[in-house]
Amino acid sequence: MFERQQTGSVVCPGCGRLVGVQDERCWNCGRARPSLFGFSRLLQRIGNEAAFSTVVIGLCVVIFVIELAMAPGGIGTRSLFGFLSPDFEVGIRLGASGAPIVFELGRWWTILSAGWLHGSLLHIGFNMYWVYQLGPAMARLYGTGRAAIIYLVSSALGFLVTSALPIFTPWLPLTHRGVTLGASAAVFGWLGALLCYSRRTGSRMFLRQVLGMAIPLVLFGLLIPGIDNWAHLGGLAGGYGMARLYRPDKPETPSEVLVAIVLLAVSVLAVPFSFLSWH
């Protein structure tokens, strides 16, 4: 399954024509290394078969358990919203983000790591529910690789926005000035991508379905104290903008699946890097 193809033909990711595995350029569109060094079919198989939402849920649950295990004496159990909340310092060491962390401590990579961390059992349960609900739809509409790219980029943009606003535009309302973490920025990124899809296709029914999910989530964020609304809005804008780069009627390419794998690896590795770099 994981062997490199060395003979035969593959489909060029650029134009869809058959080319030789050893061809340095596609004879039709001129794309360099159209076989991706013989791994083209493998990347397509991964992109078609892998359930990215399952990967996200699994990683978030494992990291959450690690958060709890690192400081069992600091686990919170006194309230519904804070039930099984990891120790505050553990979250910071593993890569929580926010203005004081990114700009005062210079830990810029936390805009990547923060999306894998959660602050309580209810927090991770709520976010993973929406990852589970939206992931299959995103994979069907955009492809697994593109769905992963949108998720990861939206998450990073959401945390970048919420970290930068207290520094550059402190007068804006609802600015989150403390530590922030969670997968909700990425979830809003997926909602932004679905909104973009509904506008491209002109489907009012699909638009109503997406708004029926997005509006309650926005209202929930406005009504519940401590919710990082600017991370949500940054993720929403990021997902919408990323989705505009992809044509829904054009299938994803092995190159896009490869980009998704690299982004996933870099994002996940930001968590242990954050821990190892803490002084």
Side-chain angles (χ1 to χ4, degrees), residues 134-215:
L134 298 177
M138 283 294 300
R140 284 192 299 270
L141 297 176
Y142 288 98
T144 304
R146 291 173 177 176
I149 293 171
I150 293 171
Y151 182 95
L152 297 166
V153 173
S154 298
S155 179
L157 286 175
F159 287 112
L160 178 61
V161 167
T162 195
S163 299
L165 289 182
I167 305 298
F168 299 101
T169 56
W171 43 268
L172 280 175
L174 303 176
T175 300
H176 193 88
R177 304 177 186 278
V179 174
T180 182
L181 42 72
S184 53
V187 168
F188 271 83
W190 272 355
L191 288 173
L194 294 175
L195 286 173
C196 181
Y197 182 87
S198 66
R199 292 201 61 185
R200 279 179 179 263
T201 59
S203 173
R204 293 184 178 181
M205 180 180 295
F206 190 84
L207 178 60
R208 286 195 296 268
Q209 290 177 339
V210 177
L211 290 177
M213 294 182 287
I215 292 176

Side-chain angles (χ1 to χ4, degrees), residues 240-251:
Y240 188 94
M242 288 297 298
R244 286 181 61 86
L245 301 176
Y246 303 125
R247 289 177 52 187
D249 59 334
K250 187 176 182 181

Side-chain angles (χ1 to χ4, degrees), residues 34-202:
S35 72
L36 296 178
F37 301 95
F39 292 104
S40 176
R41 289 184 180 176
L42 171 62
L43 293 173
Q44 285 179 321
R45 189 181 301 119
I46 292 174
N48 292 333
E49 296 177 357
F52 179 69
S53 56
T54 302
V55 173
V56 170
I57 293 171
L59 286 171
C60 285
V61 169
V62 168
I63 293 173
F64 183 69
V65 171
I66 292 173
E67 288 182 76
L68 296 175
M70 285 181 63
I75 297 175
T77 57
R78 295 184 179 181
S79 66
L80 174 63
F81 289 104
F83 182 71
L84 287 185
S85 56
D87 184 82
F88 181 75
E89 185 177 344
V90 168
I92 296 178
R93 293 180 66 184
L94 288 178
S97 194
I101 295 177
V102 173
F103 290 95
E104 295 179 19
L105 299 181
R107 294 169 64 82
W108 56 267
W109 58 88
T110 59
I111 65 172
L112 301 174
S113 57
W116 300 104
L117 308 173
H118 289 86
S120 69
L121 182 63
L122 184 64
H123 189 203
I124 188 173
F126 186 80
N127 284 340
M128 294 306 99
Y129 168 80
W130 283 106
V131 169
Y132 176 78
Q133 289 293 322
L134 298 177
M138 283 294 300
R140 284 192 299 270
L141 297 176
Y142 288 98
T144 304
R146 291 173 177 176
I149 293 171
I150 293 171
Y151 182 95
L152 297 166
V153 173
S154 298
S155 179
L157 286 175
F159 287 112
L160 178 61
V161 167
T162 195
S163 299
L165 289 182
I167 305 298
F168 299 101
T169 56
W171 43 268
L172 280 175
L174 303 176
T175 300
H176 193 88
R177 304 177 186 278
V179 174
T180 182
L181 42 72
S184 53
V187 168
F188 271 83
W190 272 355
L191 288 173
L194 294 175
L195 286 173
C196 181
Y197 182 87
S198 66
R199 292 201 61 185
R200 279 179 179 263
T201 59

Side-chain angles (χ1 to χ4, degrees), residues 39 42-47 50 52 144-146 148-149 152 254-269:
F39 292 104
L42 171 62
L43 293 173
Q44 285 179 321
R45 189 181 301 119
I46 292 174
F52 179 69
T144 304
R146 291 173 177 176
I149 293 171
L152 297 166
S255 299
E256 290 168 335
V257 178
L258 179 60
V259 169
I261 294 173
V262 172
L263 287 178
L264 176 63
V266 171
S267 178
V268 174
L269 288 175

